[in-house]
Amino acid sequence: MIIDMAEVQTINSFSKSEFLKEVYGLIWIVPILTLLLGIIIEVLVIVWLEREISASIQQRIGPEYAGPLGILQAIADGAKLLFKEDLLPSRGDIRLFSIGPSIAVISILLSYLVIPLGYRLVLADLSIGVFLWIAISSIAPIGLLMAGYSSNNKYSFSGGLRAAAQSISYEIPLSFCVLSISLLSNSSSTVDIVEAQSKYGFLGWNLWRQPIGFLVFLISSLAESERLPFDLPEAEEELVAGYQTEYSGIKYGLFYLVSYLNLLVSSLFVTVLYLGGWNFSIPYISIFEFFEMNKMVGIFGMTMGILITLTKAYLFLFISITIRWTLPRMRMDQLLNLGWKFLLPISLGNLLLTTSSQLVSL
């Protein structure tokens, strides 16, 4: 039997190339897993911060026994929900009942794909990044409607309808604000929007060029996240617990997770669209540049970009948590009137002014 060495080499090179493709495919999973781990840690931090800030506002102690300063309290609550019994409504639609929380969580998690945490530190730098976020986030109310309808409970169904009505009411002015920012930046990419604000440092933030849009975006983001004073879909006093009345165990925990994921997404987009993203805005001298350590400059710059983005996002989080424990809850008619009669015309007028100024500057 004669062995052709050329064929053997061809087979070996083919097998190596297939192996390298598999390795590259696995490498792409690493950033996604890292992002998921970071998101989970951020949610735990937000839960702990909300409990500490609310306790300080109400002059009480807050969590202090589960770990140092109570930092493990959120993990303990998550473990409790994970091991609690998962009850299902006997006359409800079990398939829709189980799919609803998953749709809400997945739609919010996909929004993190287009959020830049630093320079070139984004999973998907798309030319339609901000509008992809709006399109994806509009899927979440479908999961809430499915949860309310499948529970076979009039309170749950009423809560689901209110959640969908609220989301639609405030998503339109929010979209107009995002469109105004895209016109100012001449791009819908989140990375391009941040870089467009870096030309003049602190004075180049869209916050100063779009103050009305910033306020409308802030209010709409709170309403989209169902935070007080806009938490009517799950207000305990009048709807028991809204669309999640019949949920227990980990499914209830997923809805609890959705609210904080949505709040974190809104905070990051406020940072990207209005607060300059990862840009420091204040000149600083790097020690690594002085000693010509280029690799350390890249690592230091990436780390600083992440820290600056999260610091700005936590500023918005502090404001939203403080508002929750300061303002009373609105009625449903007041909530819809604010969205349709005030925020919608204001955001539309802001868009028209932005368009006119851009046309004049051409």
Side-chain angles (χ1 to χ4, degrees):
M1 181 179 179
I2 300 174
I3 300 176
D4 190 350
M5 296 303 296
E7 293 182 0
V8 173
Q9 292 177 357
T10 303
I11 294 172
N12 290 335
S13 62
F14 177 77
S15 61
K16 288 180 181 179
S17 64
E18 290 296 321
F19 175 73
L20 290 175
K21 287 181 181 179
E22 293 179 0
V23 172
Y24 291 150
L26 292 175
I27 290 175
W28 278 104
I29 299 176
V30 175
I32 297 176
L33 294 178
T34 304
L35 180 63
L36 286 176
L37 179 61
I39 291 171
I40 293 172
I41 294 174
E42 288 296 322
V43 169
L44 295 176
V45 172
I46 293 171
V47 173
W48 178 77
L49 276 177
E50 178 153 32
R51 287 175 169 170
E52 287 291 335
I53 294 173
S54 62
S56 177
I57 292 175
Q58 297 177 334
Q59 296 183 350
R60 54 186 175 85
I61 297 175
E64 61 176 354
Y65 296 108
L69 300 177
I71 59 176
L72 300 180
Q73 185 62 51
I75 299 177
D77 292 339
K80 179 187 72 174
L81 290 174
L82 182 62
F83 292 105
K84 283 188 71 174
E85 184 180 1
D86 186 17
L87 300 177
L88 301 175
S90 58
R91 297 184 180 181
D93 192 325
I94 304 303
R95 288 181 298 177
L96 295 181
F97 188 82
S98 302
I99 294 173
S102 304
I103 291 178
V105 171
I106 292 172
S107 63
I108 301 301
L109 285 177
L110 289 176
S111 303
Y112 288 90
L113 295 176
V114 296
I115 299 177
L117 297 177
Y119 179 66
R120 294 182 179 177
L121 195 60
V122 58
L123 284 180
D125 182 15
L126 303 176
S127 59
I128 55 169
V130 288
F131 294 106
L132 179 67
W133 164 55
I134 293 174
I136 291 175
S137 61
S138 62
I139 300 175
I142 298 176
L144 306 184
L145 271 176
M146 291 170 63
Y149 171 77
S150 62
S151 297
N152 193 28
N153 183 318
K154 59 182 180 181
Y155 296 106
S156 299
F157 188 53
S158 177
L161 291 176
R162 288 194 178 197
Q166 177 173 323
S167 178
I168 294 171
S169 300
Y170 287 89
E171 194 167 342
I172 299 174
L174 187 142
S175 302
F176 285 156
C177 294
V178 172
L179 185 56
S180 301
I181 296 296
S182 297
L183 288 174
L184 278 180
S185 307
N186 294 320
S187 176
S188 298
S189 168
T190 51
V191 176
D192 292 342
I193 290 173
V194 174
E195 291 181 345
Q197 301 176 69
S198 63
K199 297 178 181 179
Y200 306 104
F202 176 74
L203 297 177
W205 288 2
N206 289 328
L207 171 64
W208 314 120
R209 297 193 291 174
Q210 289 279 313
I212 298 175
F214 173 74
L215 291 176
V216 174
F217 189 92
L218 190 72
I219 297 172
S220 301
S221 298
L222 290 176
E224 286 284 317
S225 304
E226 296 179 6
R227 302 283 299 180
L228 264 168
F230 306 105
D231 67 333
L232 282 175
E234 50 191 53
E236 295 88 352
E237 287 81 359
E238 51 182 323
L239 291 177
V240 184
Y243 52 84
Q244 50 191 343
T245 301
E246 298 295 331
Y247 282 88
S248 63
I250 190 60
K251 291 187 178 69
Y252 174 80
L254 289 177
F255 280 125
Y256 188 77
L257 180 65
V258 164
S259 63
Y260 284 101
L261 286 175
N262 209 351
L263 181 61
L264 182 58
V265 167
S266 301
S267 304
L268 290 171
F269 269 102
V270 167
T271 302
V272 169
L273 297 177
Y274 293 96
L275 302 181
W278 66 81
N279 290 313
F280 194 39
S281 304
I282 301 175
Y284 64 96
I285 300 175
S286 176
I287 300 175
F288 305 112
E289 289 181 359
F290 181 77
F291 289 103
E292 297 182 355
M293 300 169 66
N294 295 328
K295 292 185 178 179
M296 295 301 293
V297 169
I299 297 173
F300 178 74
M302 184 180 297
T303 306
M304 284 296 297
I306 296 173
L307 291 177
I308 292 167
T309 302
L310 293 180
T311 301
K312 294 176 180 178
Y314 276 104
L315 174 62
F316 174 80
L317 286 169
F318 176 79
I319 294 173
S320 63
I321 292 172
T322 306
I323 289 175
R324 175 179 180 179
W325 300 99
T326 305
L327 299 179
R329 179 178 292 117
M330 302 175 68
R331 296 198 314 265
M332 192 63 192
D333 61 324
Q334 293 173 336
L335 184 144
L336 294 177
N337 285 337
L338 177 64
W340 289 104
K341 295 183 179 180
F342 292 95
L343 295 186
L344 180 58
I346 291 173
S347 60
L348 184 58
N350 180 66
L351 176 60
L352 293 176
L353 287 175
T354 305
T355 307
S356 302
S357 63
Q358 290 295 101
L359 290 174
V360 170
S361 62
L362 291 177

